[in-house]
C-alpha cells in the first residue's frame, strides 16, 4: 500500500512503519529520562548572576525579587513541594508560563529580569563532573 504525500511523492508502508518505530523509541527514552529524575529539596534563586537565596522546597513561602531601585520584578512561590514563578513584570511572561518545578535540575528563567530559579537535590554538588 502506498500513501500519496504530494503530486509526485509517495511513502511506502515500510516507510511509515519505520517512522512509527523511531517515534516509539523516542517516546520510551523520554519516559525513562523523566521518570528517573529525583525530586529536589532546595530552591536556588539567582539574580543578575549572583545567588540571592537558598530555600527548602518543603516550606511554603513567597519570595519577592527586587531590582536596584527596590521595585518588585518577580514573585517566586514555593508551595506543596513545588516552585513556580507567580508574577513577573516582563512583557512575554514566559517564566510564569513555565509551570511548577520539583525535580532535581529543573529551572525557571526570566531573561528580561535576569532571574534564574533552580531546583537542586541534597546530594548534587555545585560543580558538574567533567571527564577528559
Amino acid at each position: 500500500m502506498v500513501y500519496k504525500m504530494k503530486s509526485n511523492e509517495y511513502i511506502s508502508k515500510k516507510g511509515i512503519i519505520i517512522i512509527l518505530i523511531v517515534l516509539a523509541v523516542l517516546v520510551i527514552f523520554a519516559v525513562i529520562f523523566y521518570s528517573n529524575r529525583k525530586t529536589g529539596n532546595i530552591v536556588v534563586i539567582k539574580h543578575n548572576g549572583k545567588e540571592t537565596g537558598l530555600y527548602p522546597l518543603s516550606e511554603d513561602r513567597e519570595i519577592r525579587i527586587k531590582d536596584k531601585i527596590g521595585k518588585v520584578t518577580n514573585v517566586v512561590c514555593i508551595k506543596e513541594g513545588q516552585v513556580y514563578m507567580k508574577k513577573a513584570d516582563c512583557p512575554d511572561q514566559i517564566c510564569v508560563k513555565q509551570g511548577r518545578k520539583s525535580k532535581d535540575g529543573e529551572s525557571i528563567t526570566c531573561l528580561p529580569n535576569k532571574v534564574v530559579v533552580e531546583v537542586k537535590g541534597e546530594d548534587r554538588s555545585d560543580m558538574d563532573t567533567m571527564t577528559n
Side-chain angles (χ1 to χ4, degrees):
M1 180 173 218
V2 177
Y3 297 96
K4 189 174 182 180
M5 287 180 57
K6 289 184 181 177
S7 59
N8 295 333
E9 296 178 22
Y10 296 95
I11 295 180
S12 68
K13 191 174 184 180
K14 287 180 184 179
I16 291 174
I17 291 172
I18 290 172
I19 291 170
L20 291 175
I21 290 171
V22 168
L23 288 174
V25 169
L26 290 174
V27 168
I28 290 169
F29 279 122
V31 168
I32 290 170
F33 176 75
Y34 284 108
S35 66
N36 285 338
R37 296 182 87 176
K38 295 180 181 180
T39 301
N41 53 11
I42 298 170
V43 175
V44 179
I45 298 179
K46 295 179 183 175
H47 185 226
N48 289 324
K50 297 178 185 173
E51 190 174 294
T52 59
L54 287 169
Y55 305 94
L57 199 55
S58 58
E59 293 179 19
D60 293 356
R61 69 177 67 216
E62 201 171 87
I63 303 110
R64 298 181 184 280
I65 300 166
K66 299 178 181 179
D67 62 10
K68 291 179 183 177
I69 60 172
K71 179 184 166 203
V72 175
T73 59
N74 297 71
V75 178
V76 177
C77 191
I78 300 172
K79 191 172 184 180
E80 298 173 358
Q82 297 178 325
V83 63
Y84 60 96
M85 191 72 70
K86 185 175 182 178
K87 285 185 187 177
D89 67 356
C90 55
D92 56 13
Q93 297 288 298
I94 292 174
C95 56
V96 176
K97 295 173 187 172
Q98 288 182 14
R100 297 173 182 251
K101 308 293 180 188
S102 63
K103 302 286 186 187
D104 183 25
E106 291 183 324
S107 64
I108 301 169
T109 305
C110 181
L111 288 177
N113 295 330
K114 299 177 185 171
V115 175
V116 177
V117 178
E118 185 178 8
V119 178
K120 290 191 177 184
E122 217 172 28
D123 56 350
R124 185 180 173 123
S125 67
D126 287 336
M127 188 183 298
D128 291 334
T129 305
M130 290 181 60
T131 58
N132 292 334

